[in-house]
Each structure stands twice: as structure tokens, then as C-alpha cells.
Amino acid sequence: MDKRFVAFCVLSAAIFIGHSWITAKFFPPPPKPPAVAKATATGTGTATATGTKPAATATPTASATGTAGAAQAANPNAQANAATQTFPDRWTTLGSLDAASPYRMLVTFNAKGGVVERVELNNPRYHEIDDLNPLGGYLGSLAPTNYADGGKPVGVRVNVVGLGTPAAAAGLKAGDVITTLNDQPTPTVDALTTALRATKHGQDAKIGYLRGAETGKVGDAKQAQAVLGRTPLQLIRPEFSDPTDPTKADPLSFLTTLQDAAGDALPVDRAEFEGVNLYSTNWELLPAAADQPDSVAFRRAIPSRNAELVKRYTLERRNVEAKADTPEAYTLRLRVELKNTSDKPQFLAYRLGGPTGLPVEGAWYARDAKIGLGSGIGMRDVIYGQFVGGYQTNGIFSCTQIVDKEEKAALSLTEQPVTYVGVDAMYFTAALRPELKDPAERKFSRVVPLAVGKPPKDAYRKKETDVSFQMLRAPVETAAGESIVDEYKMFLGPKVPEFMDSFGMGAQIDYGWYDWIAIPMLAILHFFYGIVRNYGIAILMLTVLVRMCLHPLTRKQALGAQKMQLLQPEIKKLAEKYKGKREELARAQQELFRKHNYSPLAGCLPIFFQIPVFVGLYNSLKVDVELRQAPLVSENIRWASDLSAPDMLWDWRPFMPSFITEGSGIFVLGPFFNLLPCITIALFLLQNKIMMPPATDEQTAMQQKIMKYMMVFMGLMFFKVPAGLCVYFIAGSIWSICERQLLPKPKPGVPASEAVIDVSAATPDAKKSDEARRRQKRR
């Protein structure tokens, strides 16, 4: 026994060490990106620009949002009249970050391409959770640049101030230069970023800044007091995936250019025709229309093609008096008008790009962003609906399929009318739906999914690639002076089932094979949450309800385990009596079990019924957006602040080797030490010790030892599971232990006359006698 046990331990350790070495050797962790690229890509409170430039030449690399005074930021009625904010360079915004405003988002538009550059949600339920300090202070997406005068760093130039942001409430304006934060000098963007990371949301911050600073002019020194907010969820943002040029962003959202009138002469991987340049030039921002206060429009003439393109975006308002959000609160409308400016008819067509830069939160612990939709599902995938045979079908192009260009000819939609196309992240979706009079109308010659960002070098990070799509409008013969006009409804928000259903995308929320148990269980969980207002307690209540329903089975299982403990001495005697006679031993044991009304399979029934509950809850935690960012204790502490993610007690990256904290595989534990999985496994071991009968022979003892060590390996597999699932297991284990302790204690010993079985009795005559006794008992 000792040799086999030692061999098992050595082999297990060798597998662990070998896997770790192979991962570190052939799949090394990604290099740390420059601080500039990280901050810019995430769009946190101080999205960085690069280099130190004088004010006259400083150019922001990431846009933020409009300018508004503190009164507007605090007054929703004032915001309703100032929803559109325009800047001298090229940025325009709609909406507000104030959660009390008539809007649920703040949308930033960039005249360079007439695109959406950033979408920030202001619902208090949705914040960034993957920042280095997600609980840190947030001043606003300022698109800051280093400001220097005569080569000497002075401070950080604010290029944009968003409506409803803490910076707007403090009175900061575009062009101001921040020189100190809480009396700490901020000569560079990195210094300001570091200073903000040392703060907490809700804190007061004292800001020193210069107003009217120009080259050769110091400007007026001023001070402002700001109440720092928490970083909002940025559904769309500029993303910087090219490690060779961290200042170059991936293509922004909803880029539009001309498509060849022949329909497909311009390859989708080529940007534009020569002389068109709709992607790289600034479009004309049209004056705001009095009857459309919540819209912005861009126009660009294309003389080389005798055409003109106009794009108008309109943001929907929400009902501020409603208790809950509606799908309209997350709706942005787009109107595309392509006009024939020649004096004769011509065929016209355009190409419309999709959303980019969706969040990849949870990439280090989320194995599958979606369930049941094929292999290779990534953190961002392209989803679509088509009208086929009188009804809508739904499909998906997975991220890895797009990156690897698998079945390239099939990765496009050409045959059937498209009802919607979007990019789907773990808990959020950005999708377009063409407004069609007839769902069978076929407006697009092709819809093609594309990788718009550079795939990471490491294979395990391929699922994080920035993907999108292009919609190729079918050519239309247009008379002189006439236009093609298409309208789109865009959903930019959380994957709430009611919202997705209203948009025709409800089938994209998949709870897996056990949806028949997951959906009712979620409804019960939400019901409990409505009572206690805490999902951690609601999961405990759900656990109690499940275990009460299973109590008759688990009680029978526990009583069976007690009876098995009493029968162990007799089983040992039978093993000695029929040593080397397996068939006779099996018959004798069956007779023993029958006489004492014990069934070994009865102990499997509770496990059989609990598997769907476990899988259903696990899938629910990965899918239900209501559980995202739901804390166990409080959202103001990092530990267990998100029940859909690991509890993240302690960041151990400074103390652990990289092959443990970064990469993929069962034995990669991630950047945080998680406490709840350790408690879960400890309770599993205690539960096994209490409920498992003592070993009666060498083989059984060996099996029990292996089971204990397998629990440790199970702990490695469970180390990155959601905290909410650990809460369920912890509560279930405590229930089982208490249930076992409260059962009546068995009477010691079993009468030998009833226990010892002679297999010779199992003759045909004995079997007939047994059958007669059973018939007599039935009478």
C-alpha cells in the first residue's frame, strides 16, 4: 500500500510540475504593456496620451465627453436642454453620466470618420471591475496630454470634460491644465494616474489647475473641489492592441465608407477606395436641429464618386419616474443617407462597420463567455439573426473562428435577410438592427465578421481579440439628386433577458443543457433578492430551499451510510470467508444487504438530483447580468465584491511566479488568492470524514486516501469558480454536516445470526423459499 501511495503522490506532483513548466516554456505570459497603452485602452479616470508636447501641438489620443457646468451636472432638467456638447476640435457628445438624468449613457462621437468613440453607462449597477483599482476615484475620461512650456513639464492638459462627470461638477473645462491633486504635483499624465489610483470613490479631491495656459503664458492658477466617482462601465472604447504602436487605436465603431456599385469589388480587408478617405478625415458636423435635441449629424462630400454621405445619431431618453430601466434607455438610432450628387442616375452602395472595443472583463477566470454555441467561444463574438422560412434563426461566429479564418467562405451572411448583427461580450451586447418594412427584405449583399484588432501572440489570449463586422449594402440605382436612406436601431447595454427579447436576440442568452432548472432557479433567486436585497443571502436561502426539497433523499442516504458502518464488520467476515471467490462474495454481500434493507445505489440519488442544480447555478452565474458586481458583503471592499467572479481576497502577483498567475490551464490559479474555494474544499474533506465508513481492508483504505488527495486537486479546479457558487457549496456542506449530526444515533452491533450470510444458502431451493416468503409478505 505504501509504495502505491507514494507512487501516486510522486506522479501527481510530476504532472503538476510538468504542466507548469510546459506552460511557462511554450506558452509564456504576455509582456506587460506600457502604462500608456494600458490606461488609454481601458479609458479609466485618466486615459493617457503619449509624449510630452507643448500645448500648441498637443493632440489627445482618446476622447471623452462634453463640457458642462456644475449646475447642469446636478440638474436633470438643465441637462435635458444641453444633452449635445460640441468641442472646437472634433468631439461631440450625447447624454450624461449623471444617473438621475433622462439618459442611461454618455456617448462620445468623433468627427474623424463620423464614428462613435466611447459609450459609458451611468447605471449605478454597472462599473468597471477589471481596473488595477476598481474602487479608486474617477474624475472623468479627460483625454489628457502632458503639457509643457519651453520643454519643462507643467501639468496635465484636459482636452474634454464630460457632462455629469466629477470633473464637470468641479467646474473644470477643456483646456485647463491640472497641476496638483490633493497637493501632490501632477506634472505628467502618469503622475495624475498614480495619484488617482491612491484615492477611493466618494472621497473629496482638491484639484489645482491653470486656466488660459498657452505657450509662453502661464495662465491663471485656480483650485477646485471634486467628489470623485467610481469608474463607469465603458461598453465601447478605443482599444490599443498593436504592441508595436501603443498610440494607434483599433478602428473605431460604426465606420462608414463607399462600397463598389458592383457589390463586391472592394475586398473587405481593404480599407477604402483611393480618393475617398472617409475613415481618416474629419466630417462636417451639421448644426443641431431644434426639433432633434438628442441627435448629432455628420456629413462628408465625396467628389471623386459624385456622392455625399450623411450619418445622424439619435439617443433615446428613459422614463426617469420608472422604477426599472427599459430597452429604450439603451437605444441609439442611426440614419445613413447616401446621396447621388451627379446629374445622372448611378448605382450606389456603402459599407457600415460594427461596434469595437467591448469589455473583456473576467478573461483570466472565464473559460467560456457563452454556453452551448459551439467550440472556441471567446470574450467577444459576432452574433446574428436571419429571417429564414418565415421565422428568425440565430447564430454566432466565435472569436477564434474569426481570428483563424476557419471556413472562410462560410464566415459571411449572403443567402438570407439579416435581422440583426452585433458583438456579444460576457454580460453586455452592442448590436444593430436594420429597420425593415418587410423582414424578408434583403438589404445587404454580405455581412462579414472581422478581427479589427491584432490577435495576442499567446494562444490562450486569442479569445480576447477585438472582433467586429462589416455590413455591405446591396447596390441601388439612384436617380440624380436622390438618396438611399437606411435606418438602424442599436442596442448598447446589458444582457437583461427582457431587453434582449425586445430586440429579437433573446435566444443568444443560453443557460446550457439544464436551462429547464436554471431559469426557474434564477427566478427564485431574484425573488429572494427582492426580499433581502443581497444576492449572497439570496443564494443561502436558495441553498436551504434546495436542501429541504432533497431532505428525504439525503436523510435516506445518511441512514444508509450509518447502516453501512454497522455492516462493515460482517462485510469483512464475508471477505475473509470467500477470499478469492469474487462471484460468491458478491452474492453473499447482496444477500446481506437485502436482509438489512440496504441499497448501495440509494446514496447516489441525491447526487443525481443535485447535478442539474449545480450546473444550472454555475451557468446562471456566468450569464445573468444581475449577479455581475453583486457583492457578498459590500461593494466598497474588494473581497467577494462580485458573486459572478472569484472572491479575490489578495493580489499575490508580487509574490508568486508568473506561471501560476498568468496563462491558461487548470493549474494556473490567477492573479488573486481566493479564500472561498479553500473553505469549500475544507468542508468537503470534513464532510467526507464524517460520512465515509471506516476502511475494512487495505484496498478500501487506499481508495479513501486517494479520494482525500483528489479533493486537493479538485480545489485547484475550483480555485477560479464564481464566489456565488462557493457560497452555495459552503452552505450545502454545512447543511449536510448538521443533518448528519442531528440524525438518531445507530445502535451498536448487528445480530450475528442475521448478519453472517452463507452463500450455500443461495441454492435453487433457497431461492424458491425466499420467493415464497416475499409472496406471503405481499399478502
Side-chain angles (χ1 to χ4, degrees):
M1 179 187 71
D2 293 337
K3 290 182 179 180
R4 284 182 291 173
F5 179 69
V6 170
F8 169 78
C9 294
V10 171
L11 182 61
S12 301
I15 292 174
F16 176 77
I17 296 172
H19 178 276
S20 302
W21 180 84
I22 291 173
T23 301
K25 180 72 175 177
F26 299 102
F27 305 100
K32 296 287 190 280
V36 165
K38 177 70 175 178
T40 307
T42 57
T44 55
T46 56
T48 66
T50 54
T52 302
K53 302 181 181 181
T57 59
T59 302
T61 62
S63 77
T65 54
T67 303
Q72 288 179 331
N75 185 350
N77 295 325
Q79 290 174 345
N81 297 322
T84 304
Q85 302 290 317
T86 304
F87 300 92
D89 291 335
R90 61 176 186 263
W91 287 281
T92 304
T93 65
L94 288 176
S96 170
L97 270 187
D98 186 356
S101 72
Y103 310 98
R104 262 293 169 247
M105 65 181 81
L106 179 64
V107 185
T108 303
F109 304 94
N110 193 330
K112 186 177 181 180
V115 297
V116 172
E117 185 168 294
R118 195 181 301 271
V119 174
E120 299 172 279
L121 305 185
N122 64 21
N123 190 319
R125 285 278 294 107
Y126 310 129
H127 295 106
E128 291 287 339
I129 59 177
D130 268 0
D131 279 349
L132 293 178
N133 182 14
L135 302 179
Y138 172 76
L139 194 57
S141 294
L142 306 177
T145 50
N146 294 327
Y147 176 82
D149 191 8
K152 180 181 179 181
V154 174
V156 177
R157 186 176 189 269
V158 176
N159 292 292
V160 188
V161 178
L163 185 64
T165 62
L172 290 178
K173 296 181 179 180
D176 291 343
V177 177
I178 299 176
T179 56
T180 61
L181 181 70
N182 291 332
D183 298 322
Q184 180 179 342
T186 56
T188 64
V189 171
D190 288 341
L192 179 59
T193 302
T194 302
L196 275 172
R197 284 177 181 161
T199 63
K200 296 289 184 183
H201 70 276
Q203 290 182 351
D204 290 338
K206 185 168 65 174
I207 303 170
Y209 65 96
L210 303 175
R211 176 160 291 173
E214 300 175 1
T215 303
K217 181 181 177 182
V218 176
D220 300 327
K222 295 180 177 291
Q223 282 196 346
Q225 200 78 12
V227 179
L228 299 177
R230 187 172 176 183
T231 307
L233 189 282
Q234 300 188 50
L235 179 60
I236 290 175
R237 74 194 81 187
E239 185 159 323
F240 299 77
S241 62
D242 188 351
T244 62
D245 187 0
T247 66
K248 182 181 178 181
D250 297 342
L252 299 180
S253 298
F254 312 119
L255 281 166
T256 311
T257 189
L258 291 187
Q259 178 64 21
D260 191 272
D264 214 13
L266 179 64
V268 293
D269 53 0
R270 179 179 166 189
E272 294 188 273
F273 292 111
E274 283 187 37
V276 175
N277 299 329
L278 294 181
Y279 289 172
S280 57
T281 56
N282 286 352
W283 292 37
E284 176 190 0
L285 177 62
L286 299 180
D291 60 337
Q292 294 179 311
D294 299 321
S295 69
V296 297
F298 300 95
R299 178 172 61 194
R300 182 68 181 173
I302 315 162
S304 63
R305 296 279 170 165
N306 295 317
E308 180 183 85
L309 194 57
V310 177
K311 296 169 66 177
R312 178 175 294 276
Y313 299 90
T314 303
L315 182 62
E316 296 282 346
R317 297 191 181 199
R318 70 184 183 94
N319 184 0
V320 294
E321 297 180 357
K323 293 183 179 179
D325 286 342
T326 60
E328 288 72 26
Y330 299 95
T331 299
L332 180 69
R333 296 184 180 274
L334 170 63
R335 184 177 187 270
V336 178
E337 180 180 354
L338 180 56
K339 184 177 181 180
N340 178 7
T341 58
S342 70
D343 56 0
K344 58 183 179 180
Q346 65 170 330
F347 281 91
L348 294 176
Y350 64 85
R351 178 192 298 178
L352 176 63
T356 63
L358 270 71
V360 290
E361 58 189 26
W364 64 272
Y365 60 81
R367 295 182 183 176
D368 290 320
K370 285 160 285 295
I371 306 165
L373 294 175
S375 61
I377 301 301
M379 301 307 298
R380 294 175 287 202
D381 304 294
V382 174
I383 58 175
Y384 64 88
Q386 285 185 288
F387 191 76
V388 181
Y391 60 94
Q392 179 177 285
T393 62
N394 303 277
I396 181 170
F397 294 123
S398 71
C399 179
T400 52
Q401 283 179 332
I402 296 170
V403 173
D404 294 339
K405 297 183 179 179
E406 295 179 7
E407 302 175 4
K408 187 172 181 180
L411 289 183
S412 62
L413 309 176
T414 58
E415 298 298 327
Q416 304 296 336
V418 174
T419 53
Y420 71 85
V421 193
V423 178
D424 196 39
M426 193 165 186
Y427 294 108
F428 300 91
T429 293
L432 291 87
R433 187 180 72 191
E435 299 286 64
L436 304 173
K437 295 180 181 178
D438 181 359
E441 181 182 359
R442 187 169 175 264
K443 278 194 173 183
F444 304 97
S445 59
R446 292 177 67 196
V447 177
V448 185
L450 295 171
V452 296
K454 281 198 171 184
K457 291 183 178 180
D458 304 290
Y460 71 89
R461 293 188 59 216
K462 187 187 300 182
K463 65 180 182 178
E464 303 173 34
T465 304
D466 193 4
V467 298
S468 188
F469 56 87
Q470 289 188 347
M471 306 177 73
L472 281 60
R473 181 64 163 89
V476 177
E477 186 175 11
T478 311
E482 297 298 319
S483 303
I484 302 172
V485 178
D486 293 328
E487 296 194 3
Y488 302 86
K489 184 177 180 180
M490 294 188 283
F491 174 76
L492 309 171
K495 293 165 64 175
V496 177
E498 294 80 8
F499 297 177
M500 299 287 280
D501 284 338
S502 69
F503 208 80
M505 302 186 297
Q508 296 291 352
I509 299 180
D510 189 353
Y511 296 96
W513 291 349
Y514 296 107
D515 56 350
W516 54 273
I517 188 68
I519 295 174
M521 192 167 57
L522 266 181
I524 297 172
L525 188 64
H526 293 326
F527 171 76
F528 287 149
Y529 174 77
I531 299 173
V532 298
R533 309 306 297 176
N534 181 285
Y535 272 110
I537 299 176
I539 291 176
L540 293 177
M541 297 170 69
L542 177 66
T543 307
V544 171
L545 177 63
V546 171
R547 298 312 294 261
M548 287 177 65
C549 294
L550 294 176
H551 176 67
L553 294 176
T554 55
R555 184 177 185 274
K556 187 175 181 180
Q557 178 192 34
L559 290 174
Q562 286 183 347
K563 188 175 292 186
M564 187 64 177
Q565 288 180 345
L566 294 177
L567 294 176
Q568 284 299 315
E570 306 307 324
I571 293 175
K572 188 174 182 179
K573 291 179 181 179
L574 291 176
E576 293 175 354
K577 182 176 181 179
Y578 297 105
K579 189 173 183 179
K581 303 176 181 179
R582 292 186 179 181
E583 294 182 0
E584 295 179 1
L585 175 61
R587 289 199 298 270
Q589 287 181 343
Q590 290 175 4
E591 183 67 17
L592 176 66
F593 294 157
R594 185 185 63 79
K595 284 185 175 292
H596 293 281
N597 194 27
Y598 171 74
S599 173
L601 296 178
C604 300
L605 283 177
I607 299 175
F608 176 77
F609 284 106
Q610 285 189 71
I611 286 176
V613 177
F614 155 65
V615 176
L617 181 60
Y618 179 57
N619 291 345
S620 300
L621 290 169
K622 293 200 300 180
V623 173
D624 189 20
V625 69
E626 296 300 326
L627 291 168
R628 177 195 177 273
Q629 207 180 314
L632 176 62
V633 181
S634 170
E635 64 177 9
N636 294 318
I637 59 175
R638 180 65 183 257
W639 179 71
S641 60
D642 184 356
L643 289 173
S644 68
D647 61 270
M648 295 182 273
L649 175 67
W650 174 47
D651 186 347
W652 60 4
R653 280 173 289 190
F655 311 98
M656 297 293 288
S658 59
F659 66 82
I660 294 293
T661 61
E662 300 178 23
S664 64
I666 295 175
F667 299 113
V668 176
L669 303 182
F672 293 91
F673 171 75
N674 304 311
L675 177 63
L676 292 180
C678 299
I679 297 176
T680 301
I681 297 303
L683 286 172
F684 281 172
L685 290 170
L686 178 61
Q687 184 179 351
N688 267 358
K689 183 177 181 180
I690 292 174
M691 303 189 72
M692 188 177 292
T696 57
D697 53 32
E698 180 179 321
Q699 184 178 2
T700 306
M702 182 65 181
Q703 290 174 350
Q704 291 183 0
K705 278 190 176 182
I706 293 177
M707 181 64 68
K708 290 180 181 178
Y709 285 94
M710 287 302 295
M711 283 289 181
V712 177
F713 284 98
M714 187 181 295
L716 297 176
M717 297 174 63
F718 267 60
F719 199 73
K720 294 186 286 186
V721 301
L725 194 63
C726 289
V727 172
Y728 172 80
F729 278 127
I730 290 171
S733 296
I734 293 175
W735 176 284
S736 297
I737 292 171
C738 294
E739 186 179 55
R740 180 63 182 268
Q741 296 301 314
L742 294 176
L743 285 176
K745 302 298 180 184
K747 296 179 181 180
V750 178
S753 61
E754 297 182 8
V756 179
I757 305 298
D758 190 347
V759 75
S760 62
T763 60
D765 293 338
K767 292 180 181 178
K768 292 179 181 179
S769 178
D770 289 343
E771 181 64 26
R773 282 197 299 269
R774 284 194 290 270
R775 285 199 299 269
Q776 182 66 29
K777 187 176 181 181
R778 284 197 295 270
R779 293 196 187 98

